[in-house]
Amino acid sequence: MNYRHLYYFWSVAKTGHLTHTAQQLHVSQSALSSQIKQLEEWLGQTLFEREGRRLKLTQAGYIAKQYADRIFAEGQSLVEQLKQGKTSQTSVVRIGHASTMSRNFVEQFIASLMSPSPQPFRLHSMSTHQLLTELAEHRIDIALANTDVAGHDEDIWQSRLLARQPVSIIGVPGLPIQSLSDPALKERAWVLPPTSAPLRSGFDMLATQYQWAPRVIAEADDMAMLRLLARDGGALAVIPDVVVKDELDSQRLQRYVTLPNLFEQFYAITIKQPFQHPWLSRLLARYD
């Protein structure tokens, strides 16, 4: 497609006058008419019909103008971002989050995007390794993770601690558990994060200290799955309170003991770049 032809069509479509538009574009009326005619021939559709002294869009012309509106709006956005360093407030915010993260925390993070005037956004769930790859290749604007960035790319990644959530022993209501030294914790069935998770190492130290001898019946690196296993399977779980907020409020699960010095940490990871989405600073300002 010849985009000059499309631009001439778009300009005439906005005014409805060939002569006035030719004057604005500093071209002759015949040249402008010829350019639009070539576009019509290329598309195989008539875009205008004459109504008195005005040009009225046909149905095909109306459809073409809708596309042209978006095309040239994106072109203006491109100029503003690359030449003037501005990013459109209405451009989509692309958020990646670790598949192991609490969905409740993610929902809290994006809450301001949904009201009072919704801001378009996309959520992508993936592994932490994939998050860093997507950031490096500019396919997402920000990554949410429950582990800090490690490695040799400190000059690239910008990692920020957003929150530390307490971690508790969670189970179905009615169990005779009141403290870490309660005999009811010994030899019980547990669902736990895998041994590679920081929460698991903290739990294992407490289990050794209090001689719980836990019977681990399942491991999952997905907090949502641990929540379901605790709720529907009857086993005890070690879960951040935010993960089971709804179940605690509805009393389908009960918080028995908050574990000392054990927290789930949530990070926002971005990449150093000259063109940052304007909404990022607003999302992160809530955690200042």
Side-chain angles (χ1 to χ4, degrees):
M1 175 183 290
N2 187 318
Y3 282 90
R4 181 178 293 275
H5 296 170
L6 183 65
Y7 181 74
Y8 284 164
F9 155 76
W10 182 59
S11 300
V12 173
K14 289 188 294 181
T15 65
H17 291 282
L18 197 64
T19 303
H20 293 169
T21 305
Q23 292 172 349
Q24 292 171 0
L25 296 176
H26 305 290
V27 298
S28 69
Q29 182 175 330
S30 60
L32 183 58
S33 179
S34 175
Q35 299 279 337
I36 294 173
K37 186 66 175 177
Q38 290 179 54
L39 178 63
E40 289 180 322
E41 291 174 353
W42 190 84
L43 292 173
Q45 298 288 339
T46 299
L47 302 177
F48 291 109
E49 57 187 10
R50 186 165 291 279
E51 190 177 77
R53 302 185 63 182
R54 292 182 60 86
L55 291 176
K56 179 183 176 182
L57 289 170
T58 64
Q59 183 180 18
Y62 178 75
I63 293 171
K65 183 180 180 296
Q66 287 184 307
Y67 277 97
D69 286 342
R70 293 196 293 270
I71 288 169
F72 292 114
E74 287 296 312
Q76 181 61 33
S77 178
L78 172 66
V79 172
E80 290 177 353
Q81 182 164 353
L82 296 187
K83 293 195 69 174
Q84 302 170 20
K86 300 177 182 178
T87 302
S88 171
Q89 292 280 350
T90 58
S91 61
V92 174
V93 185
R94 303 163 303 167
I95 303 169
H97 67 87
S99 55
T100 57
M101 279 194 72
S102 160
R103 302 305 192 264
N104 284 343
F105 182 84
V106 174
E107 184 179 25
Q108 291 174 12
F109 182 82
I110 64 173
S112 60
L113 295 172
M114 302 182 69
S115 62
S117 300
Q119 160 66 33
F121 66 92
R122 294 194 191 103
L123 281 177
H124 306 270
S125 175
M126 60 194 78
S127 69
T128 302
H129 175 74
Q130 288 175 306
L131 285 174
L132 299 182
T133 299
E134 295 291 294
L135 272 175
E137 296 180 0
H138 308 290
R139 289 198 286 263
I140 58 176
D141 299 304
I142 189 170
L144 303 177
N146 45 10
T147 54
D148 200 1
V149 174
H152 305 288
D153 294 324
E154 292 85 355
D155 57 329
I156 297 176
W157 312 114
Q158 295 176 317
S159 180
R160 171 177 175 174
L161 179 65
L162 298 180
R164 296 192 339 155
Q165 296 285 344
V167 177
S168 302
I169 295 175
I170 302 292
V172 294
L175 300 176
I177 300 170
Q178 297 181 345
S179 69
L180 294 176
S181 57
D182 199 305
L185 285 171
K186 294 187 177 182
E187 298 183 2
R188 293 200 68 92
W190 293 79
V191 291
L192 297 172
T195 55
S196 58
L199 285 185
R200 178 63 178 273
S201 59
F203 170 83
D204 288 344
M205 291 179 63
L206 287 171
T208 300
Q209 178 182 349
Y210 289 97
Q211 300 180 342
W212 291 337
R215 182 164 49 89
V216 181
I217 62 171
E219 295 181 346
D221 61 3
D222 185 337
M223 287 295 169
M225 181 56 67
L226 286 179
R227 172 177 62 87
L228 293 176
L229 291 172
R231 188 187 72 190
D232 301 333
L236 293 177
V238 175
I239 308 178
D241 293 12
V242 67
V243 175
V244 290
K245 179 181 181 301
D246 295 341
E247 283 78 8
L248 294 177
D249 291 344
S250 65
Q251 299 184 344
R252 295 191 66 183
L253 287 173
Q254 181 175 336
R255 178 196 306 108
Y256 285 102
V257 185
T258 298
L259 299 178
N261 303 316
L262 195 57
F263 300 91
E264 177 80 331
Q265 305 192 105
F266 300 105
Y267 296 90
I269 305 168
T270 54
I271 191 169
K272 295 180 181 179
Q273 54 187 343
F275 309 111
Q276 188 177 73
H277 197 291
W279 260 92
L280 292 188
S281 58
R282 298 166 68 174
L283 287 169
L284 296 173
R286 299 170 53 215
Y287 299 92
D288 288 340

